[in-house]
Amino acid sequence: MHKFSFMLIWEKKIPEFLLFRKNIVNRILFTAAFALVFINIYAPFGVNTWFNVTKLELFLYSSGLILTGILVMVISRIIMFQISRKMRLNYLQYGVWEIAEISIMALVYTSLKIFFLHEKNDLVDDFVNSLQITALVVIIPYIIAALYFSWQDKTRKLESLEQQKDENPAKATKLLPFFDEKGVMRFSMFPSDIFYLEAADNYVTIYFLNKQKVSHYLIRNSLKNLEEYLSEYSFIRCHRSFIVNFEKVKLIRKEKDGLKLEIDAPTEMIIPVSKTYSQGVLDEFVKNG
């Protein structure tokens, strides 16, 4: 199951905000600024000792290297942007692309060191050292930028939903949107058509009525995250792995192993109620009774 979940993550398409032209440009500029400051202030891995230069020379040399790195990133992102117009990369492809981009930059830096500084060291050692420095000064701003773009994207979508709600409250309440753990809306459905939600590892399966048949949709999130959000509707947590639409419960029965909820659906649906949540379910039954 864990292997299956891992493969699902890697095969998922990357979010669109990573391919927005504005975000690509901002990320390259932020990475360049971060690299310039980081190399000259912290001198990672004793880079100033390796290159045997003064601080001023290090600044000038690092500026030249960063400009070269920007050129590599620009070419790489232009190619990625063109490819993404035909097909969207998944996380595995995107990760391989990032590693290749960093490796190419490290190879370019190694070549520049050999041809311009005329230092005759072991080529493999030089490449490994360049790869370490490049990975350090590139991965950190990459992660920061990705988190910021994700936050921007989430904020923009939430504002859009709020605007729709203000403009047309009746329409906004018809569909219930479901978001993944990153805040990206993946699925929306009429609340009255949803039977229950079931958790498995880091995923939640939503079971709903579709053309008089039971269908399901899988999103990456947890019941804990969804529980508070769904509490505004008629949904209630009844088990560690289940949230049910209480409007769909047609029968509550007590058996030897605890309470059971029978769902009003085209096929038989029996949802268990754990002791932890049994009192809450009974209170909800009394309140709606």
Side-chain angles (χ1 to χ4, degrees):
M1 186 66 185
H2 291 291
K3 184 178 179 181
F4 174 72
S5 300
F6 180 77
M7 290 304 297
L8 278 177
I9 295 170
W10 280 113
E11 291 175 1
K12 284 177 62 177
K13 302 298 182 182
I14 62 172
E16 292 183 357
F17 62 77
L18 289 176
L19 299 171
F20 290 163
R21 187 175 300 175
K22 180 180 176 182
N23 287 349
I24 292 174
V25 173
N26 288 336
R27 172 176 162 173
I28 292 174
L29 294 176
F30 174 65
T31 302
F34 179 91
L36 185 62
V37 172
F38 192 78
I39 289 176
N40 284 276
I41 292 179
Y42 294 100
F45 304 114
V47 64
N48 54 337
T49 303
W50 285 354
F51 295 150
N52 193 26
V53 292
T54 65
K55 287 187 177 181
L56 178 59
E57 289 172 330
L58 176 63
F59 176 78
L60 295 175
Y61 179 69
S62 62
S63 298
L65 289 180
I66 289 168
L67 287 174
T68 306
I70 289 176
L71 180 61
V72 173
M73 284 190 283
V74 168
I75 295 173
S76 171
R77 298 296 150 166
I78 289 175
I79 296 172
M80 180 186 288
F81 183 78
Q82 294 301 322
I83 291 176
S84 67
R85 297 175 68 177
K86 298 179 181 179
M87 56 167 283
R88 206 155 115 209
L89 301 177
N90 58 35
Y91 278 100
L92 179 59
Q93 293 167 330
Y94 189 76
V96 171
W97 193 292
E98 296 278 12
I99 294 171
E101 186 177 273
I102 292 172
S103 299
I104 292 172
M105 282 192 281
L107 185 60
V108 171
Y109 296 155
T110 303
S111 301
L112 289 175
K113 180 184 175 184
I114 293 172
F115 291 109
F116 287 95
L117 294 183
H118 304 293
E119 294 190 11
K120 296 181 179 180
N121 297 325
D122 185 85
L123 182 61
V124 176
D125 286 343
D126 280 343
F127 175 73
V128 171
N129 292 337
S130 295
L131 187 62
Q132 287 179 313
I133 297 172
T134 305
L136 181 64
V137 299
V138 168
I139 290 176
I140 294 175
Y142 274 16
I143 293 173
I144 294 173
L147 291 174
Y148 176 72
F149 296 149
S150 177
W151 173 80
Q152 270 190 328
D153 186 68
K154 180 180 178 180
T155 302
R156 183 170 56 251
K157 288 181 178 179
L158 289 175
E159 288 176 350
S160 177
L161 287 175
E162 288 296 327
Q163 185 178 0
Q164 291 177 15
K165 184 176 180 180
D166 292 338
E167 292 175 352
N168 194 342
K171 184 178 179 180
T173 55
K174 286 184 178 180
L175 292 175
L176 174 61
F178 285 88
F179 301 86
D180 65 16
E181 60 182 5
K182 295 182 179 179
V184 179
M185 190 177 73
R186 297 295 184 186
F187 177 74
S188 61
M189 172 58 59
F190 292 104
S192 58
D193 287 337
I194 299 174
F195 298 115
Y196 68 94
L197 290 77
E198 182 178 7
D201 290 336
N202 297 320
Y203 291 86
V204 172
T205 304
I206 305 165
Y207 292 87
F208 59 94
L209 183 65
N210 182 28
K211 297 179 181 179
Q212 303 306 313
K213 294 181 180 180
V214 177
S215 298
H216 63 274
Y217 189 88
L218 184 71
I219 63 171
R220 182 174 175 82
N221 211 325
S222 66
L223 282 186
K224 185 178 180 181
N225 290 339
L226 295 172
E227 183 179 3
E228 183 177 354
Y229 170 65
L230 293 173
S231 63
E232 299 180 11
Y233 301 87
S234 58
F235 294 85
I236 184 171
R237 186 79 173 262
C238 66
H239 189 276
R240 180 171 163 273
S241 302
F242 294 96
I243 290 179
V244 297
N245 182 356
F246 210 75
E247 290 184 354
K248 292 291 186 180
V249 177
K250 66 178 182 180
L251 180 66
I252 300 178
R253 63 173 184 261
K254 187 173 183 180
E255 299 183 355
K256 291 181 179 180
D257 56 345
L259 296 177
K260 303 288 184 183
L261 304 179
E262 187 173 334
I263 307 299
D264 186 9
T267 58
E268 185 181 50
M269 288 185 180
I270 307 297
I271 307 299
V273 179
S274 64
K275 292 182 180 180
T276 305
Y277 299 99
S278 59
Q279 189 58 51
V281 171
L282 291 174
D283 291 343
E284 188 71 18
F285 176 74
V286 172
K287 184 172 70 175
N288 290 278

